[in-house]
Every structure is written in structure tokens, then in C-alpha cells.
Amino acid sequence: MIIDMHCDTVSEIRHRRTGKGEECGLRENKLHIDARRLKENGYLLQCFALFVSLRGCGAIDGQGLLRPDNAWADLQKLYQIYQQEMARNTDLLQPVTDAGDLEQCRQTGKVGAMLTVEEGGVCGGRPERLEELYAMGVRMLTLTWNFPNELGHPNINALNRQLGYRTLFQADEEHGLTDMGRVFVRRMEELGMLVDVSHLSDRGFWDVAETGTRPFVASHSNARAVCPCVRNLTDEMIKALAQRGGVMGLNFCADFLRTMPEGEENPGRMGDVTAHALHIFRTGGEECLGLGSDFDGIDTNEALPGVQDMEKLWEALKRSGFTERQLDKIFYGNVLRVLGNVI
């Protein structure tokens, strides 16, 4: 079985339709993920992120000012696509909002689909919108993407693109959660919604750890000791996440797996993926690592071009020394435990 905590397939379907004029749906496509391949390759659960770019939807203007209503409206358009695609694939997919739904997926053989949101700025700093997201079926919220919002600050700030390549390696240790961000973390825990710290600043990570009491996740982040990109977690963060009972998802983005000279192509190597898995395992223990592919939100990883290639990852990790029991935890068990404890 496989559980993947993060993909951007819904946003990519929308982009293919509106940006490229292509016919694209969730059942079968040429993307990294489709429903048929999820079923054929033994997925128990795929988390589908509704990703909103604050600048892309006009929520951030040229002066860096937030216009959150634009982001909320953009989210609703993505949600409509998700709902339509779920309705078209009821024979393959089943919505998951609690642990009982996952057990039903095991019995029916359908692939669970859990809705998440990548960009806390869609809420405009309004806690009542968490209730609306929860009612929509959202069970995980990534607090920031690459823009500051009402909740906190990211490590890679897309408003500072003039810094270019250097932004990948400059962690923000000063700006963390806002007061409203702390309110959101507490309310999410009350609702039973996973707090996701991927993209969040270093200071923000520690603010989440100090504010919350329940397990939290880094849905698609790797190890900074292996690749110094600040989208990855430090060893101290990995240990803190593990101690809280949380889990981090192995990300297949080549730039988060290996550092390359600026401008040099990075196709993605299986050895880099296993190196991160081994380091996270040795640092945080066997309970803290899961999968967070970032499929359809990243350039194609040459070693892992889609869900049909997950058996290759299993075999590579097995050759690197993981036992089958440990692999079961990485591929589904650890995330399943956190979901059972939180949602």
C-alpha cells in the first residue's frame, strides 16, 4: 500500500485546460498522477492539494499587498474541478475525511482521496474560513507557500526574486508565525486538521512546535543536511517533528534532493532519494518518514517519473538497507498513524 501526502495534480489539470487548451482529467492523463495508475499501483490514499499562488491569482499586487478575496475565489475554482473529477471517478476514488473512510477504502479496494490546501493565505486571516475548509473536506493546510501571508512567512520568499538562486539557501530565522498564525494552529488542532509546515520559515517551524500540542507534518520536505535548500528540514527540526509524533514526506523534486551549480541541469537520481530517506531515518527514527512526492508540482524526476514507478523506489530503498517492515511504515504506516491521531 502507498500513501502520498502531497501532489498538485488538480492545479495542473486546471493549467492544462485553461493555460494550454488541452483536454485533461483525473481518470487518465499524461501527468505524473491519474486515478487509473493510482489504483493499479496499490495506493491506499493520495492527498490532493488545492494550490493557490497569491500572485498568480492577483491576491498579491505589484506592491506586495494582499488581496485575500481573490485567493479564496481562486480556491473555489480549484475545488469545483476536484469535485467534478471525483464525481466522474467514483468507481476508482473515494473521498477520505476520517480514519473510518480509510478503512472502507481497504475493504472496497478504492483509492482514498484526501483534500488539502497549499497556501494558508486563501483564508485571508479569517479563522471562520477554517470551518468552511473543513466542511469542504479539507484535512490539511500548508500554512504558507512562497509568499508571506496573514499567518506567517516562508523560507523562500517569491517577492524577493531579485535574489535569484541564492534564495534557495537563505533560511528565515527571524520571521515566523503571526499572532493570527498561532490562532490558526490552535483552531486547526481543535477541528482535526493537520498543520503542514512545508514551505514555512525556520522561525515559523519552531513557532508551530511551541504553539501546538498535537502531531504536525512537513508534507513534502527533505533533509537539509543532505541538500542545503531551505525547503528542507534541519536535523533539529526532524528530531522535533519526530518527538511530537509527526511525519515528513519524501519529496521527489530534484532541486530539493541535490545541490547543483546554478544553471546546470538536475534530472533527478534515485540515489539522491535514498540518501535523504536514510538520513531522515537515522536522524528521526523509523516513525517520522513518509512520502510527499510533490508530483505534478515539480519537473519530472528522471528516476521517478510518475506513480507507476513507486515499486522502483521500494526496491531501491530495500537495496539500501531498509527492512520490509520499515518500508511499510515509510510507504503508508507512519502517515496512517498520524491521520488516525489527528483527523
Side-chain angles (χ1 to χ4, degrees):
M1 291 191 294
I2 300 172
I3 295 178
D4 180 1
M5 286 196 289
H6 186 85
C7 76
D8 290 299
T9 307
V10 177
S11 299
E12 184 61 18
I13 287 173
R14 181 189 182 193
H15 172 67
R16 295 296 178 103
R17 292 176 180 177
T18 62
K20 297 186 175 182
E22 298 178 6
E23 290 187 11
C24 187
L26 188 54
R27 190 174 192 84
E28 289 189 60
N29 57 51
K30 295 181 180 179
L31 307 181
H32 298 154
I33 286 177
D34 65 32
R36 179 184 58 77
R37 282 178 286 152
L38 288 173
K39 168 70 174 174
E40 290 176 352
N41 289 277
Y43 274 67
L44 174 64
L45 177 70
Q46 177 64 57
C47 295
F48 287 96
L50 305 183
F51 162 63
V52 173
S53 168
L54 296 182
R55 175 167 281 171
C57 71
I60 291 183
D61 64 19
Q63 286 72 48
L65 299 176
L66 282 166
R67 302 182 185 278
D69 286 344
N70 291 17
W72 187 254
D74 206 57
L75 177 77
Q76 299 307 314
K77 294 175 183 177
L78 288 168
Y79 180 62
Q80 185 177 25
I81 291 173
Y82 175 79
Q83 290 288 81
Q84 291 170 346
E85 291 302 317
M86 288 296 293
R88 292 167 180 165
N89 292 283
T90 55
D91 58 324
L92 296 175
L93 303 176
Q94 175 178 323
V96 167
T97 58
D98 58 36
D101 292 334
L102 273 174
E103 181 56 35
Q104 189 173 359
C105 289
R106 288 198 200 210
Q107 295 175 6
T108 63
K110 292 183 181 181
V111 179
M114 193 176 89
L115 193 60
T116 76
V117 169
E118 185 176 26
E119 177 51 87
V122 300
C123 295
R126 296 166 55 180
E128 65 271 19
R129 283 199 161 151
L130 279 177
E131 320 279 344
E132 296 181 59
L133 291 178
Y134 191 86
M136 291 161 58
V138 174
R139 292 298 181 267
M140 183 195 305
L141 177 67
T142 311
L143 297 176
T144 68
W145 186 60
N146 291 342
F147 297 102
N149 62 32
E150 298 89 348
L151 308 183
H153 295 258
N155 255 345
I156 298 175
N157 187 342
L159 296 180
N160 294 332
R161 281 303 188 193
Q162 66 271 19
L163 295 176
Y165 186 68
R166 288 174 291 164
T167 63
L168 295 175
F169 309 103
Q170 294 180 346
D172 188 344
E173 300 177 354
E174 179 181 358
H175 305 99
L177 291 184
T178 63
D179 289 342
M180 183 53 67
R182 293 178 184 273
V183 169
F184 265 63
V185 168
R186 297 187 188 104
R187 184 59 183 139
M188 288 170 68
E189 289 192 342
E190 291 171 356
L191 286 169
M193 187 182 294
L194 279 165
V195 177
D196 181 14
V197 298
S198 284
H199 289 280
L200 193 61
S201 68
D202 280 23
R203 180 64 258 169
F205 176 98
W206 295 113
D207 287 344
V208 168
E210 293 165 6
T211 301
T213 60
R214 305 189 73 181
F216 61 97
V217 302
S219 67
H220 54 304
S221 295
N222 295 327
R224 202 177 302 176
V226 180
C227 174
C229 174
V230 294
R231 272 285 284 107
N232 296 333
L233 302 188
T234 66
D235 285 0
E236 292 75 18
M237 292 174 179
I238 294 171
K239 292 174 184 176
L241 185 73
Q243 289 168 2
R244 182 62 63 80
V247 66
M248 57 191 292
L250 199 60
N251 189 317
F252 302 158
C253 177
D255 288 338
F256 304 158
L257 292 167
R258 172 187 285 263
T259 304
M260 304 288 284
E262 185 172 3
E264 188 170 323
E265 185 177 354
N266 189 357
R269 301 169 176 84
M270 187 68 79
D272 296 334
V273 183
T274 60
H276 281 270
L278 285 166
H279 183 85
I280 295 165
F281 173 82
R282 291 164 180 164
T283 303
E286 64 181 36
E287 303 290 330
C288 75
L289 180 60
L291 302 176
S293 67
D294 213 354
F295 275 147
D296 292 319
I298 58 174
D299 291 336
T300 299
N301 183 312
E302 189 175 276
L304 291 166
V307 295
Q308 67 278 3
D309 300 289
M310 295 303 291
E311 186 175 353
K312 296 177 183 176
L313 177 60
W314 174 285
E315 293 300 330
L317 292 175
K318 188 174 181 180
R319 287 194 300 272
S320 69
F322 287 97
T323 67
E324 292 204 3
R325 179 184 61 82
Q326 292 164 345
L327 287 171
D328 281 340
K329 288 187 174 185
I330 294 169
F331 273 68
Y332 71 92
N334 289 335
V335 178
L336 191 62
R337 168 182 52 81
V338 173
L339 292 174
N341 289 336
V342 176
I343 70 170

